[in-house]
Amino acid sequence: GENVEQHPSTLSVQEGDSAVIKCTYSDSASNYFPWYKQELGKRPQLIIDIRSNVGEKKDQRIAVTLNKTAKHFSLHITETQPEDSAVYFCAARPYNFNKFYFGSGTKLNVKP
Amino acid sequence: DVKVTQSSRYLVKRTGEKVFLECVQDMDHENMFWYRQDPGLGLRLIYFSYDVKMKEKGDIPEGYSVSREKKERFSLILESASTNQTSMYLCASSLIGTGDNEQFFGPGTRLTVL
């Protein structure tokens, strides 16, 4: 089955700096890659996603890149703000499956 | 506009008790999921269901069972709770199919087994 690895497990940045979180996956049949943000005490919520036929997607300060050949995808947050502090999860979903495989999470701390 | 609800935010049970965790969604989603969230381990799938009365094992089904008698409701059952089942339990739902089907999560139930 699919295996998703996520790095780093914790990331601390200064407000205004950029943050990058990386994930790798094992199943070449995976074709959908969402990213979820979980603030302290709250439920995970989708912040951005990408399909395998696209190399990059942006939404304001957030972007996701996908390298199908190398089987890795990354979340990029620019101009970080304290409200970006949260746990971020990547996930992969193999084609024709309804299951998501989640990474282990990255705790991002943005210092004011 | 809360769409996925769970019966309890916090629950304390004793070893050996039978525990029921309930999840309800109002989005008419076919898929429903139960995850367990532990620090450093991310979200691990326990069971999921793609239709009423249908279920499939996830990655860590041992010690758990599920029930889906109605489309909107998915129950997680701990037949005999053990201390190693102390965790945060998250329910989620999504549309069926291979599209960009976002999973919507419930608020979670923090279960402590003493």
Side-chain angles (χ1 to χ4, degrees):
Chain A
E2 175 66 280
N3 180 46
V4 177
E5 295 191 356
Q6 183 172 348
H7 300 281
S9 56
T10 58
L11 180 59
S12 190
V13 300
Q14 207 66 40
E15 182 177 358
D17 288 350
S18 295
V20 180
I21 302 169
K22 298 181 179 180
C23 290
T24 61
Y25 62 99
S26 60
D27 190 345
S28 56
S30 288
N31 70 338
Y32 176 60
F33 307 92
W35 285 87
Y36 285 81
K37 175 184 180 182
Q38 186 178 30
E39 297 176 14
L40 189 63
K42 296 190 176 180
R43 68 190 78 193
Q45 291 193 299
L46 179 72
I47 54 170
I48 196 167
D49 55 13
I50 192 167
R51 291 191 68 100
S52 59
N53 59 350
V54 175
E56 184 175 2
K57 185 176 179 181
K58 284 185 180 180
D59 183 4
Q60 299 181 343
R61 296 186 297 108
I62 293 173
V64 58
T65 57
L66 171 66
N67 184 325
K68 281 172 51 181
T69 304
K71 295 199 192 73
H72 66 72
F73 57 112
S74 300
L75 178 70
H76 305 254
I77 306 174
T78 58
E79 301 172 22
T80 53
Q81 300 168 4
E83 52 264 38
D84 294 330
S85 295
V87 177
Y88 292 81
F89 293 99
C90 63
R93 189 197 65 198
Y95 175 78
N96 213 29
F97 275 76
N98 289 291
K99 286 170 59 174
F100 283 57
Y101 294 84
F102 283 88
S104 54
T106 296
K107 185 174 182 180
L108 174 64
N109 179 35
V110 180
K111 296 178 286 186
Chain B
D1 61 342
V2 174
K3 301 183 188 319
V4 183
T5 57
Q6 295 181 229
S7 50
S8 306
R9 290 300 304 271
Y10 300 94
L11 208 53
V12 180
K13 296 292 181 180
R14 296 210 173 271
T15 301
E17 280 193 80
K18 191 168 185 176
V19 182
F20 292 87
L21 303 182
E22 301 278 327
C23 176
V24 177
Q25 51 94 6
D26 65 358
M27 295 171 284
D28 202 33
H29 285 168
E30 295 87 357
N31 291 334
M32 295 189 75
F33 307 83
W34 274 107
Y35 293 93
R36 173 175 169 161
Q37 183 176 16
D38 299 289
L41 297 178
L43 300 171
R44 293 182 292 167
L45 183 64
I46 304 171
Y47 268 97
F48 75 102
S49 167
Y50 52 89
D51 200 354
V52 175
K53 297 190 186 296
M54 305 303 288
K55 61 185 179 184
E56 283 199 24
K57 293 181 180 179
D59 301 316
I60 52 166
E62 297 78 19
Y64 304 94
S65 62
V66 290
S67 171
R68 192 161 180 206
E69 297 296 319
K70 293 184 177 181
K71 188 176 185 180
E72 67 271 18
R73 189 179 298 269
F74 192 34
S75 302
L76 180 69
I77 304 155
L78 288 66
E79 295 289 344
S80 177
S82 63
T83 55
N84 62 12
Q85 293 178 309
T86 291
S87 187
M88 170 68 84
Y89 291 88
L90 287 166
C91 173
S93 71
S94 76
L95 289 168
I96 204 165
T98 56
D100 301 348
N101 296 330
E102 177 182 354
Q103 287 201 2
F104 291 86
F105 285 86
T109 296
R110 184 164 293 282
L111 173 67
T112 301
V113 182
L114 302 175

